[in-house]
Amino acid sequence: QKYKHMKLKNIQLSNYRNFKDYSIDFGTEATIFIGKNGTGKTNLINAIAHSLSFIFSKKKEEIQYEFIASSDANVKVESFKSTDYRFDYEIDPPHGNYSPAVSIKTTADEGESLSWEFLNDGESNRLKETLYRNANSLFWNKYIVDGKIQKLPVFVFFHDSYPHKTANTGKNMQDKLDSGYPMPRNTGYYMWNDEKNCTDIWVQYFTMQWKNDLYDNGRGDKNYLKAVNEKLVLFSKSISELVKNESIEVEKLAVDARGKDDVLIVLFKNGNRTLFDQLPQGYKRMFSIVFDISNRTFFLNSDCDSFGIVIIDEIELHLHPSIQQEFLNTLKRTFPKIQFIVSTHSPLVITNFKQDDKNVLYKLYNEDGEYKNEKVDDLYGIDYNSGLRDWMETPYRNSDVNDLIESYKYWKSAGDNEMINRLKEKIKDAVGNDSELYKSLN
């Protein structure tokens, strides 16, 4: 099969929200977006998630129809209206008073190029199905062989509200959970792009499978428990000995069986035991993301090593700086076949991100009312303050500079030339080579 590792290559936006005419390429492993608030990071990743819904177009005569139709909430082509549009255009008669066409055009690589477009012409407020129907057919023709669906890519979008908004467990889903049997395969796409998170559903499922294994009732899937545990354990291990954080290293997940009040427990290697639901907010978001990806990939393909596309808005949310440095890198190590597309406001994320032809970093910005992007040079290994000042466009705090100046005055009075020169360099980094303050130092 040629189509085994679906990767997004490019997206082009026309008249979509704040983007009039916009194009951006993706790294095959990871892509990071940075930029000030209002430069379009969230709109861009929403457009990416929106475009991926093309595979969920369904018609009754198609072989994948039942697979898609029976997967419950939000597994569908996501439509949008041309009124979701921020530019002020005058529409001349006789066309009527409606917005210009809105377009999301996407290209992916699955061994050969695959392109599709979501276009709303502004008049009908409906997507033109012919522009993504062919790509949909090509996609499924590659993944269905002799009437059987092969391994499928996982798609999941973690919004900046994740995991605060919790999905309600509908009756159909609750019935599946209560049965104790393995989940249907298409559960891997359940609410994949919804703002509400499904962690509680996956926790219920893990708990049921753990009890099936404990009582050996023949309904469980031991491979599931092993695979999910292995991913969480691998993820929790630090990549670098320099920033090793033993407090988050996981030994395994287990269940404290209390009848109807069963609870999922995280057992840490340092001996701590914490209810999954009572993890500190940063830990909870981080482990929930890993837990969610692991569950979805297992449901789809009976393992946790699937390929696919994972989108994370504001990847650093609630995380301590020491964890921000490693989060994306540990995700990549844990799920090496997945393409990650993330946004961040953290200089710690970008200065610990090695760029190459597979990993790229873009700065999004607004210039004279036009939204643009530029590829950023490799920032790996530069100091935090340089990343903050030069690429996050955040100046040093006055208090930091004042502290440096006071230290400089002290060591100057003491006549310590080594310290004087060292502090002059730090002040230059803080305020810039052309600053009058720096020039005044003598």
Side-chain angles (χ1 to χ4, degrees):
Q1 296 297 309
K2 289 184 178 180
Y3 283 31
K4 287 188 176 180
H5 292 79
M6 182 177 181
K7 307 284 186 180
L8 293 184
K9 292 177 65 177
N10 171 271
I11 193 167
Q12 299 175 49
L13 306 176
S14 298
N15 300 332
Y16 180 83
R17 299 189 179 182
N18 61 302
F19 300 114
K20 182 178 180 182
D21 186 14
Y22 200 84
S23 177
I24 198 164
D25 296 328
F26 303 105
T28 55
E29 289 184 2
T31 304
I32 297 179
F33 303 137
I34 63 173
K36 291 182 176 180
N37 291 336
T39 53
K41 298 185 300 297
T42 296
N43 285 341
L44 177 55
I45 62 177
N46 270 282
I48 295 165
H50 196 130
S51 74
L52 289 174
S53 70
F54 85 100
I55 76 164
F56 302 116
S57 174
K58 56 183 181 291
K59 288 189 174 181
K60 289 188 176 181
E61 66 271 17
E62 294 173 334
I63 194 170
Q64 73 273 15
Y65 173 79
E66 185 58 32
F67 179 87
I68 296 170
S70 62
S71 22
D72 289 332
N74 288 351
V75 182
K76 60 185 179 182
V77 172
E78 288 293 323
S79 184
F80 57 86
K81 295 183 179 181
S82 59
T83 50
D84 186 9
Y85 182 73
R86 301 182 183 188
F87 296 102
D88 184 18
Y89 276 77
E90 292 184 4
I91 308 300
D92 296 326
H95 304 293
N97 187 22
Y98 55 85
S99 301
V102 184
S103 169
I104 304 173
K105 187 172 184 179
T106 316
T107 304
D109 183 6
E110 295 185 301
E112 58 189 63
S113 185
L114 183 69
S115 296
W116 65 96
E117 182 177 8
F118 283 178
L119 175 68
N120 186 313
D121 61 15
E123 184 174 9
S124 65
N125 266 337
R126 296 177 61 187
L127 296 180
K128 288 198 172 182
E129 185 179 338
T130 54
L131 297 178
Y132 59 84
R133 169 57 56 187
N134 184 57
N136 174 273
S137 297
L138 288 172
F139 177 92
W140 286 106
N141 285 340
K142 292 295 181 180
Y143 286 112
I144 298 177
V145 178
D146 296 329
K148 294 183 178 180
I149 299 177
Q150 307 300 299
K151 285 197 171 186
L152 288 166
V154 64
F155 297 154
V156 58
F157 178 19
F158 299 105
H159 294 254
D160 59 2
S161 60
Y162 183 91
H164 306 305
K165 297 181 179 180
T166 302
N168 294 323
T169 307
K171 184 179 183 306
N172 288 342
M173 177 59 72
Q174 193 62 58
D175 288 345
K176 294 172 186 175
L177 291 168
D178 292 341
S179 75
Y181 288 101
M183 282 288 189
R185 187 177 179 187
N186 55 18
T187 307
Y189 291 129
Y190 183 78
M191 298 182 70
W192 71 276
N193 62 346
D194 199 286
E195 286 191 25
K196 297 178 180 178
N197 84 84
C198 297
T199 305
D200 287 352
I201 296 173
W202 312 148
V203 167
Q204 281 193 63
Y205 183 73
F206 187 96
T207 301
M208 182 62 73
Q209 293 303 310
W210 188 91
K211 291 171 70 175
N212 285 341
D213 181 56
L214 177 66
Y215 299 120
D216 196 22
N217 59 21
R219 289 182 293 182
D221 187 340
K222 293 183 180 181
N223 291 332
Y224 163 80
L225 295 172
K226 181 175 183 291
V228 171
N229 258 314
E230 284 179 349
K231 284 300 182 185
L232 207 64
V233 169
L234 174 60
F235 168 79
S236 71
K237 292 180 180 178
S238 178
I239 288 179
S240 170
E241 290 294 322
L242 297 176
V243 290
K244 190 170 183 179
N245 192 342
E246 295 181 350
S247 67
I248 69 168
E249 288 197 25
V250 174
E251 180 180 342
K252 65 178 180 178
L253 294 175
V255 174
D256 187 354
R258 303 175 181 177
K260 291 184 178 181
D261 297 321
D262 297 332
V263 290
L264 183 64
I265 305 287
V266 184
L267 304 180
F268 291 95
K269 284 195 171 180
N270 62 7
N272 288 340
R273 294 165 51 92
T274 306
L275 296 180
F276 193 97
D277 192 49
Q278 294 181 6
L279 287 167
Q281 200 61 251
Y283 287 13
K284 187 173 183 179
R285 186 173 198 257
M286 178 175 64
F287 287 135
S288 292
I289 286 174
V290 177
F291 194 56
D292 188 283
I293 297 172
S294 300
N295 274 271
R296 292 181 185 277
T297 57
F298 195 91
F299 297 149
L300 284 172
N301 300 318
S302 298
D303 64 53
C304 292
D305 294 312
S306 304
F307 59 100
I309 299 163
V310 170
I311 305 164
I312 308 175
D313 196 5
E314 297 193 29
I315 189 172
E316 77 284 0
L317 279 183
H318 311 300
L319 296 178
H320 185 272
S322 63
I323 301 176
Q324 290 182 28
Q325 295 179 71
E326 289 204 317
F327 188 25
L328 180 57
N329 293 326
T330 49
L331 280 175
K332 289 171 57 183
R333 177 188 64 185
T334 308
F335 303 103
K337 298 177 185 177
I338 283 178
Q339 179 184 32
F340 289 94
I341 300 172
V342 309
S343 72
T344 186
H345 288 289
S346 171
L348 288 168
V349 173
I350 66 174
T351 56
N352 287 275
F353 178 63
K354 290 183 179 180
Q355 293 186 70
D356 51 32
D357 58 341
K358 298 178 180 178
N359 298 275
V360 295
L361 171 63
Y362 288 98
K363 177 184 174 182
L364 278 56
Y365 62 100
N366 184 332
E367 184 177 79
D368 299 326
E370 185 176 353
Y371 293 86
K372 300 180 179 180
N373 64 72
E374 64 173 311
K375 191 176 287 189
V376 177
D377 294 333
D378 191 9
L379 303 181
Y380 181 76
I382 73 166
D383 67 277
Y384 171 93
N385 286 320
S386 295
L388 194 66
R389 185 187 70 243
D390 297 338
W391 291 105
M392 309 305 282
E393 300 183 73
T394 303
Y396 283 76
R397 296 177 301 172
N398 289 335
S399 58
D400 296 336
V401 176
N402 290 338
D403 288 344
L404 290 171
I405 293 295
E406 291 302 313
S407 295
Y408 173 81
K409 289 177 180 179
Y410 172 83
W411 290 108
K412 185 172 176 61
S413 66
D416 190 324
N417 290 328
E418 181 180 349
M419 286 301 298
I420 290 169
N421 291 331
R422 186 181 301 174
L423 286 163
K424 282 180 71 174
E425 285 300 309
K426 288 189 175 184
I427 293 169
K428 181 175 72 172
D429 287 341
V431 300
N433 194 45
D434 296 328
S435 165
E436 292 299 322
L437 176 62
Y438 175 72
K439 290 178 180 179
S440 70
L441 301 177
N442 52 51

